[in-house]
Amino acid sequence: AQLAVGPKKVKEAAASVEERTAGLTKPLAEMLGNWDNFSFAPIRESTVSRAMTRRYFADLDTHAESDIIIIGAGSCGLSAAYTLGKLRPDLRITVIEAGVSPGGGAWLGGQLFSAMVMRKPADVFLREVGVPFEDEGDYVVVKHAALFTSTVLARVLAMDNVKLFNATTVEDLITRPDEDGETKAGVRIAGVVTNWTLVSMHHDDQSCMDPNTINAPVIISTTGHDGPFGAFSVKRLVSMKQLEQLGGMRGLDMQRAEDAIVKNTREIVPGLIVGGMELSEIDGANRMGPTFGAMALSGVKAAEEAIRVFDL
Ligand code: AHZ
C-alpha cells in the first residue's frame, strides 16, 4: 500500500517541481524531467582539437618568458601561486607540476584519512581563500583535505596571470654566471628545463628526447621531500656544485618542523627560492607529517620573498 501512488500524490509531486529544483539555476532546473528531446549543440572533432591546442600553444608561447615560475603544485606551491597571483596581477606566473593531478600530498589529511589539520595561525590562510573549518582552539580542522586543495586550486586557476602546466616535469635548471659575483655559489638561476612527465620517465629506454625551456628571473621550488620525484631542485643544486651537500630530512617532530619550514623559506641561490618540505632536505629540518599549516604559510612567505627578489 505504501508504494501505491494515487492521483493526490501525483498532483502534489507536480505542484512541487519548482520547490524540488529550488537552488538550481533556472536553465538547469528546466532540464530536469525533459530528457526526451535532449541533444547537444553540433560540433566537428577538429574544432575540439583546435580549441585546445590553440590555447595550449599560445600559453606555451606567452609563458616561455615568465616573471616567476613555481615548480611543484603541492600545498606549498599552490599557496605560493595564490598569494603571488593575488598580490601581483601584473606578473606572469607559471606553475609546473609533474603529476596529472596537482595537489601533491594534500588530497588526504594523513594515512588515508580525510580531515586536514592546520595549527594556528595558518587559519588566516583558510579564511583568506574561503575554506571552512572547525576551530579546535590551537588548531583547526578542514573536513576534507580535498576541500582545501580544490578550493586553492580553483582560485589559482581562475587567475588571468597564472598558468598551470601539469603532466610536465622540470628536468633541470637554467643557470647564468652570477653577475654581481657576491655569492659563493657563483650562479643565478634563470629558468627551468621541462619535458612531458611521460617523456621524462622514458629517457632510459628511448633515444634523445630533448626538452623545452622557460625563462624567468625568479623560481620558487616546492617539490616536496626526497622521493621518486621530490626535492628535485635542491638535489640538482648539489650535483651542479652550488650546494655542498644536503642536510637530509630528520625524524618527525611537528613542533619544531613547522616553525623551521616557515622560518627557513628563503632564496637559496640567487633567483631560486625554496619552500615547503623540499627545504627540510637542505637544512636537515624535521619531518612534520600530517599537519599542513607550515605548507600554506611557507607558500605565502615564498611568494613574498619572490616579489622582493623580482623587484630588486
Ligand atoms: O608531483 C610533485 C608534487 O605535486 C611535484 N614535483 C616534484 N618534482 C617535480 C618536478 N617538476 C615538477 N621535477 C614536481 N613538479 O611537486 C609537488 C610537491 O608537493 P608535496 O605535497 O609533496 O610537497 P609540499 O612541500 O607542498 O607539501 C609537503 C606536505 C607533506 S609533509 C610530509 C611529511 O612530513 O611526511 N609529507 C608531505 C606530502
Side-chain angles (χ1 to χ4, degrees):
Q2 276 185 337
L3 291 176
V5 179
K8 190 171 163 229
K9 282 244 154 107
V10 170
K11 203 172 155 208
E12 269 174 14
S16 65
V17 166
E18 276 192 358
E19 266 171 38
R20 282 191 291 110
T21 59
L24 296 182
T25 54
K26 202 163 174 247
L28 185 61
E30 283 170 359
M31 274 190 178
L32 300 187
N34 262 325
W35 300 107
D36 287 349
N37 296 320
F38 173 85
S39 75
F40 280 108
I43 201 157
R44 189 169 169 76
E45 288 75 4
S46 59
T47 306
V48 177
S49 294
R50 285 175 174 154
M52 293 186 294
T53 54
R54 193 189 314 129
R55 286 168 176 80
Y56 195 90
F57 289 107
D59 284 341
L60 265 186
D61 182 79
T62 306
H63 285 257
E65 277 291 349
S66 294
D67 293 318
I68 298 179
I69 298 169
I70 299 171
I71 314 174
S75 43
C76 183
L78 287 175
S79 304
Y82 173 87
T83 310
L84 272 176
K86 253 321 201 26
L87 286 177
R88 293 295 295 267
D90 58 312
L91 298 185
R92 189 177 297 153
I93 298 155
T94 304
V95 184
I96 316 258
E97 167 53 49
V100 171
S101 349
W107 289 110
L108 290 163
Q111 196 156 322
L112 296 179
F113 309 136
S114 312
M116 173 185 262
V117 174
M118 285 200 185
R119 290 160 63 202
K120 288 183 178 175
D123 56 312
V124 296
F125 188 71
L126 298 178
R127 286 178 216 275
E128 162 71 30
V129 180
V131 176
F133 56 81
E134 279 176 75
D135 194 325
E136 295 277 10
D138 285 340
Y139 67 97
V140 300
V141 184
V142 180
K143 73 175 179 182
H144 203 303
L147 177 59
F148 168 79
T149 299
S150 58
T151 306
V152 182
L153 189 55
R155 304 266 186 274
V156 166
L157 291 178
M159 292 173 175
D160 288 336
N161 60 328
V162 183
K163 170 69 188 179
L164 166 71
F165 293 100
N166 46 337
T168 305
T169 292
V170 171
E171 288 190 341
D172 209 341
L173 301 170
I174 299 174
T175 63
R176 302 269 186 266
D178 184 24
E179 276 163 19
D180 57 22
E182 276 174 16
T183 60
K184 231 180 21 181
V187 300
R188 151 166 295 280
I189 307 304
V192 297
V193 178
T194 61
N195 220 325
W196 308 115
T197 300
L198 292 175
V199 171
S200 286
M201 292 164 80
H202 284 275
H203 283 306
D204 289 343
D205 56 42
Q206 298 291 324
S207 58
C208 181
M209 297 186 286
D210 262 347
N212 192 19
T213 52
I214 303 181
N215 281 115
V218 183
I219 318 291
I220 299 175
S221 188
T222 63
T223 68
H225 60 67
D226 202 2
F229 275 108
F232 168 77
S233 299
V234 298
K235 286 194 287 191
R236 186 68 184 106
L237 289 180
V238 174
S239 63
M240 62 166 77
K241 310 243 180 293
Q242 302 306 305
L243 274 180
E244 232 161 72
Q245 60 177 29
L246 296 181
M249 186 176 65
R250 306 293 158 84
L252 193 151
D253 181 340
M254 285 185 188
Q255 203 76 25
R256 285 163 175 267
E258 290 215 279
D259 288 353
I261 293 293
V262 177
K263 221 170 266 171
N264 292 335
T265 298
R266 65 193 188 281
E267 191 181 26
I268 300 294
V269 300
L272 182 78
I273 291 143
V274 177
M277 280 314 273
E278 181 167 7
L279 203 54
S280 70
E281 301 288 353
I282 304 181
D283 298 321
N286 291 96
R287 182 176 197 172
M288 79 197 59
T291 169
F292 285 84
M295 295 302 103
L297 296 187
S298 170
V300 172
K301 189 176 173 198
E304 187 186 10
E305 187 68 355
I307 291 169
R308 184 189 67 75
V309 175
F310 184 85
D311 285 342
L312 276 179

